Amino acid sequence: MYVQLPFDELKVDPNQKKRIAYFYDADIGNYAYGAGHPMKPHRIRMAHSLIMNYGLYKKMEIYRAKPATKQEMCQFHTDEYIDFISRVSPDNLDLFAKEQIKFNVGDDCPVFDGLFEYCGISGGGSMEGAARLNRGKCDIAINYAGGLHHAKKSEASGFCYLNDIVLGIIELLRYHPRVLYIDIDVHHGDGVEEAFYTTDRVMTCSFHKYGEFFPGTGELRDIGVGKGKYHSVNVPLRDGIDDATYKSIFEPLISKIVEWYQPSAIVLQCGGDSLSGDRLGCFNLSMSGHANCINFVKSFNIPLMVVGGGGYTMRNVARTWAFESGLLNNVILPTELPYNEYYEYYAPDYKLDVRPSNMYNSNSPEFLDKILTNIISNLENTKHAPSVQMNVVPNDAEDLGDIEEDTAEAMDTKGGSEIARDSAIQPDNEFYEEDFKDKEDRMIIDSKDVTEHKSAPATTATTPKEEESSTTKLTDEELKEIREMNESI
């Protein structure tokens, strides 16, 4: 059943238009887990800087989501856990000795300044992205601050405190009968799988390293229980998987799941720790190999939410997420990095590329064939998309807009409301005077050459002064023609 596919160059269709909502909060890079901790929210700021300097902001609607409230977080998490997260800080940690053990806060998941605000930003972006997909306001929503897939109902785990993915999927389920969750992080998406383990309305599919590796879950035989039986798909992989091998198992499996399950929305967690050279990862994917998954899922033209996740070599995560943002906008970004405030991080080559190493690939064709055969035989057990009983969809929260920044004063001083600026996308046929500056200069030079050529064979003697004036006159005429041409365009 397993067939090794060739890994071709990535292609996009520039004529295909996607409405993309991109969520980013400038405060996200201010939070730090602590010195020496591998998780660094600063990488999201680095990725955003690349996305902006590549000019992708002209193609997307950019939003700063309202942070998730306690009430919204408690749609999945327990009240006492969220209450603890909101009250604990490095200063009062001694008062919560029992709670630290109960809620698994400590070594991997330290308490740092602004922890609750950090969780609010992550959850708010995913929930707002899901809400915009529900209302048909966009085709793709992006929230790189999200993707924290290990957090449990009442427990922090694996650097994750709030499971923004589950909150986003709960929001999607208000409108969509079936949601597919795909996870390409090197770690198993245990928090999301656990949340929807007993329902057939969400199918989870996780590609991860299995065997003496955190979190230790995600065995091939974990397929769900009750109504959710056969709706949890786990693809346990071994060290060193490369681009061609990953593509050969990812594409046929996702195609089969989409064909069988017929989801009306997809959530894609694109953790960057499956890239080659990651501090905590053990896969050997290049930037193109990782991005191929995003490009393939996008090709189904199903409403899609893209969230971040792991990734502990900051420069590689930033490069890959910027490149994938380009693919989602149907643009292949140039390899040469534009200058940005974190340019030094990308030394010594300053290229938009993550290259694979010569790591040994432990995933044999026989091993992958066994996995693929097993999963597809499980899917065969129920050969239809589960139906959903009709229900009244609850009302959306009232959208009051960005009130504070939409006052008359704000519009006067900033030249327009915040909402209007967020929604602004530069059309492809837009142009500015500077776009034609080089062209105009070239035409001026050409006109001078023509003038010199015309004046060369003249038999009547002219003084240098007369010759200079005739040249100037011709150049002015040429300039006038150029200006008229620009105005007509």
Side-chain angles (χ1 to χ4, degrees):
M1 188 168 282
Y2 173 82
V3 178
Q4 182 87 1
L5 301 173
F7 191 80
D8 304 320
E9 196 176 330
L10 294 175
K11 292 190 176 105
V12 294
D13 180 7
N15 298 318
Q16 188 187 42
K17 300 296 178 191
K18 294 279 186 189
R19 294 170 301 151
I20 297 182
Y22 170 83
F23 292 89
Y24 175 74
D25 193 310
D27 293 339
I28 193 69
N30 297 338
Y31 302 101
Y33 279 60
H37 198 287
M39 179 61 132
K40 302 196 184 302
H42 180 63
R43 72 216 163 108
I44 301 160
R45 185 180 274 171
M46 288 171 61
H48 177 73
S49 177
L50 277 182
I51 288 165
M52 292 297 107
N53 283 285
Y54 266 115
L56 291 175
Y57 63 89
K58 297 174 183 177
K59 296 179 174 291
M60 305 187 288
E61 293 183 359
I62 298 175
Y63 297 97
R64 180 177 185 171
K66 179 176 158 287
T69 61
K70 274 189 183 183
Q71 189 180 5
E72 288 169 337
M73 293 177 183
C74 290
Q75 289 180 90
F76 171 60
H77 296 283
T78 60
D79 293 5
E80 55 178 349
Y81 173 63
I82 293 301
D83 186 56
F84 164 72
I85 290 293
S86 67
R87 290 195 291 132
V88 74
S89 72
D91 300 328
N92 63 13
L93 202 52
D94 300 339
L95 305 174
F96 295 98
K98 285 183 182 176
E99 285 85 350
Q100 278 181 263
I101 298 164
K102 182 179 179 181
F103 299 126
N104 193 33
V105 170
D107 300 330
D108 278 354
C109 303
V111 172
F112 54 86
D113 283 320
L115 172 58
F116 183 71
E117 289 76 15
Y118 170 73
C119 292
I121 290 170
S122 165
S126 294
M127 291 182 74
E128 180 60 29
R132 291 193 76 80
L133 286 170
N134 282 345
R135 296 198 296 269
K137 296 281 184 73
C138 63
D139 302 313
I140 299 172
I142 302 173
N143 176 33
Y144 289 130
L148 305 175
H149 58 168
H150 294 307
K152 309 290 196 304
K153 189 179 182 70
S154 59
E155 186 182 309
S157 173
F159 317 155
C160 306
Y161 306 86
L162 182 84
N163 202 318
D164 64 283
I165 301 170
V166 172
L167 294 173
I169 292 175
I170 288 170
E171 182 66 29
L172 287 170
L173 288 173
R174 295 171 73 240
Y175 282 71
H176 296 276
R178 291 173 299 279
V179 176
L180 171 62
Y181 169 69
I182 303 168
D183 192 317
I184 59 170
D185 195 290
V186 75
H187 300 99
H188 176 232
D190 57 336
V192 184
E193 181 184 276
E194 188 179 298
F196 301 110
Y197 205 59
T198 59
T199 179
D200 58 3
R201 288 196 60 195
V202 179
M203 175 167 272
T204 59
C205 179
S206 177
F207 297 78
H208 53 269
K209 154 78 175 164
Y210 181 72
E212 294 186 9
F213 195 72
F214 182 86
T217 53
E219 195 188 356
L220 186 63
R221 288 175 291 184
D222 293 339
I223 55 172
V225 294
K227 277 184 78 176
K229 194 171 185 183
Y230 306 118
H231 289 80
S232 289
V233 177
N234 285 298
V235 188
L237 300 168
R238 295 173 179 163
D239 292 6
I241 191 163
D242 56 26
D243 295 349
T245 313
Y246 203 93
K247 176 185 177 179
S248 302
I249 195 158
F250 183 86
E251 292 192 359
L253 195 50
I254 296 300
S255 297
K256 194 77 178 171
I257 288 171
V258 170
E259 177 194 334
W260 172 82
Y261 188 63
Q262 295 174 25
S264 54
I266 298 176
V267 178
L268 176 59
Q269 196 266 21
C270 48
D273 46 10
S274 45
L275 289 162
S276 179
D278 190 81
R279 276 178 70 185
L280 302 184
C282 53
F283 285 175
N284 195 22
L285 294 183
S286 71
M287 184 178 76
S288 298
H290 193 274
N292 178 65
C293 301
I294 283 80
N295 209 32
F296 183 71
V297 173
K298 178 180 73 103
S299 68
F300 290 107
N301 293 319
I302 296 171
L304 173 66
M305 183 158 77
V306 176
V307 292
Y312 308 101
T313 302
M314 288 198 296
R315 61 185 181 276
N316 289 349
V317 177
R319 283 171 165 133
T320 304
W321 287 352
F323 182 71
E324 288 168 354
S325 300
L327 288 179
L328 292 169
N329 283 286
N330 293 301
V331 176
I332 292 182
L333 299 179
T335 312
E336 205 64 41
L337 285 174
Y339 186 76
N340 61 87
E341 52 265 58
Y342 307 108
Y343 196 65
E344 293 75 21
Y345 280 78
Y346 306 104
D349 56 354
Y350 304 102
K351 302 282 186 195
L352 185 73
D353 193 21
V354 178
R355 288 186 288 275
S357 66
N358 58 355
M359 187 179 186
Y360 176 71
N361 183 1
S362 305
N363 299 272
S364 64
E366 295 78 26
F367 169 69
L368 295 172
D369 186 70
K370 180 186 165 190
I371 288 174
L372 210 54
T373 308
N374 197 305
I375 292 171
I376 287 173
S377 69
N378 281 340
L379 292 177
E380 295 286 333
N381 283 308
T382 45
K383 259 189 171 283
H384 68 280
S387 59
V388 178
Q389 187 176 351
M390 288 179 69
N391 284 304
V392 177
V393 177
N395 292 332
D396 288 322
E398 189 180 356
D399 185 7
L400 299 172
D402 203 344
I403 296 170
E404 289 177 15
E405 295 181 352
D406 261 5
T407 58
E409 284 179 26
M411 292 187 196
D412 280 345
T413 54
K414 297 182 183 178
S417 71
E418 184 67 24
I419 290 179
R421 288 202 306 282
D422 283 344
S423 304
I425 296 178
Q426 181 177 300
D428 289 338
N429 60 354
E430 184 65 87
F431 71 91
Y432 298 97
E433 283 188 13
E434 51 263 33
D435 295 342
F436 287 87
K437 209 167 186 180
D438 296 338
K439 187 176 176 183
E440 193 172 301
D441 290 344
R442 283 199 303 276
M443 292 182 80
I444 290 168
I445 292 163
D446 292 344
S447 67
K448 282 183 180 174
D449 293 341
V450 169
T451 307
E452 286 166 13
H453 179 71
K454 281 181 180 176
S455 59
T459 50
T460 53
T462 54
T463 63
K465 195 171 182 180
E466 286 172 338
E467 191 175 319
E468 188 183 333
S469 64
S470 66
T471 305
T472 308
K473 187 178 176 186
L474 277 166
T475 307
D476 287 342
E477 286 172 3
E478 292 287 335
L479 275 170
K480 190 177 176 185
E481 284 178 22
I482 292 161
R483 288 198 188 93
E484 285 173 359
M485 182 188 73
N486 286 346
E487 285 169 10
S488 66
I489 290 170

